[in-house]
Amino acid sequence: MSRKRKPLPLLEGVTITDIAAEGKALVRVNDLVVFVSFAVPGDVVDLQITRKKHSYAEAVVARMVQPSPRRLQPFCRHFGVCGGCKWQMLPYPDQLAAKQQQVVDALQRIGKVELPECRPILGSQQTAEYRNKLEFAFCNKRWLTKQEISDEHLELGSDVNNCVGYHTTGTFDKVLPIEECHLMDPINDRLRLCLRNYALQHGLTFYDVRNHTGLMRGMMIRLSNTGELMLLVQFCIETPEQHAQAMGLMQHVAQQFPEITSLLWVNNTKWNDTFGDLEVHTFRGEDHIFLQMEDLRFKVGPKSFYQTNTRQAYELYSVARSLAFDSQITATSDANVASDADAAASKPLVYDLYTGTGTIANFVARQARQVIGIEYVPEAIKDARENSRINGITNTLFYAGDMKDILTEDFICEHGRPDIIITDPPRAGMHADVVDVILKAAPARIVYVSCNPATQARDLALLDSHYRVAAVQPVDMFPQTQHVENVVLLLRR
């Protein structure tokens, strides 16, 4: 017979004190640290504990006793349910302060290395409608809010259950219907609702994740700062009738949205939503769009990676370029980073690790003798080479493969020891073997761009024996969320 669980406590009249990691707020009750979702410092609340450990607990707000003077009214009707934006109730200056502190805490607590004073975080010019890419899922099982569940008169027929939106946190087979999303220009709402309404009016089936059936599977929108617009519709076509239905929808979209410059579709009958290995068909227009950064044009296809905040991507890469080539920041071994930029022979050799589609590599190429980019995804390397060609850049070389397998001592002997290494790894950080090769390559400076300060701090500790941290610059790429990018300059001791 199983033991009956003890009811978790309700904490009454608690005042929230701080912002914590993962977008949660924090309060200490006696010796217990409690993490709270969707709360603001200064809120007086009753908290329902949902999970309790020896030294900490997690809780939700059961009742708002007194809102904090700092609390804002969220601007999206889906806030608190969809999970995409966790900080709409928090003023943007407070968001920036929390992100900066998150960076400092991670570097100090995990890295345990000597640090200069952290530079003020670079905030985003746009705090809404800043994304250039969004993806939505079609589903025949909608996520019900607590209010809907309590509504005795709610009737869920198939048309009501069919929806398009975001997968909610903790579920894989249900989707929250999205009526509006403020992460992108309102064109995203018009496109999404057009596809939804057409599918419902014409009896098109919505995808069933568990049974792997249903025509309408997903959609992706990309919007360029050059005014170009891409829409990709993901179908699961298994019969000639479904193919005809899919093409009917594509024709309808083409007629309704002449501003789409790249209208694409893909047939995905796999058990997952990834389409990197599938053929993408062009229904109308081009198979790509261009994004502009300074005088450079970057070709972006449906499978390409590009930073989703276009304006802040420029700020991020400008920071990386400045730290890589700033002659005012020197080290005793920095002689190879010459100040005479006019003499080609004196320009530094740069390695761009985890180069993606070569955005950083091409962005810094004019300041370098040569830039060598390495990336795991072959399609991304193809894009990187194409972007060099489009922009008339001839001093880049790109290689595809696992970083720890490509970046070896033999590779460095063949291509030359780098004067500068720029590295922008995924959230997991760099493999220990990659760090070891970097130490042996002994560049004069390393510019480490990271979307995860925790793993960045771990890698800084591994590099600390040979490198000191000379600059720390956080950059906010994702307003209304807890995520933050950070750029660190390391100079050889």
Side-chain angles (χ1 to χ4, degrees), residues 146-156:
K146 290 181 179 179
Q147 183 177 354
E148 289 172 330
I149 292 173
S150 63
D151 186 354
E152 298 178 357
H153 303 288
L154 181 66
E155 297 181 6
L156 287 179

Side-chain angles (χ1 to χ4, degrees), residues 279-402:
E279 181 182 2
V280 175
H281 306 274
T282 303
F283 187 86
R284 189 190 69 189
E286 303 293 337
D287 63 355
H288 61 273
I289 59 175
F290 283 99
L291 284 100
Q292 189 88 17
M293 189 176 291
E294 290 185 339
D295 60 342
L296 301 176
R297 286 165 58 83
F298 292 96
K299 181 181 177 181
V300 177
K303 301 177 184 180
S304 302
F305 170 79
Y306 195 90
Q307 289 282 356
T308 53
N309 187 334
T310 305
R311 288 189 179 183
Q312 282 301 91
Y314 174 69
E315 299 297 333
L316 181 70
Y317 296 154
S318 294
V319 168
R321 182 174 63 184
S322 174
L323 293 179
F325 298 96
D326 188 351
S327 60
Q328 301 302 312
I329 306 176
T330 59
T332 55
S333 56
D334 219 6
N336 288 331
V337 186
S339 59
D340 184 6
D342 295 327
S346 70
K347 289 184 177 182
L349 173 63
V350 178
Y351 280 19
D352 181 25
L353 310 185
Y354 311 94
T355 190
T357 55
T359 312
I360 291 179
N362 286 297
F363 191 62
V364 306
R366 290 170 182 165
Q367 283 77 27
R369 180 170 76 253
Q370 186 174 56
V371 183
I372 297 173
I374 305 173
E375 166 62 39
Y376 179 76
V377 182
E379 290 84 1
I381 288 299
K382 182 179 178 181
D383 288 341
R385 291 169 179 154
E386 177 68 4
N387 284 325
S388 287
R389 185 195 66 78
I390 289 168
N391 291 287
I393 297 170
T394 59
N395 62 333
T396 55
L397 289 175
F398 295 102
Y399 295 89
D402 193 308

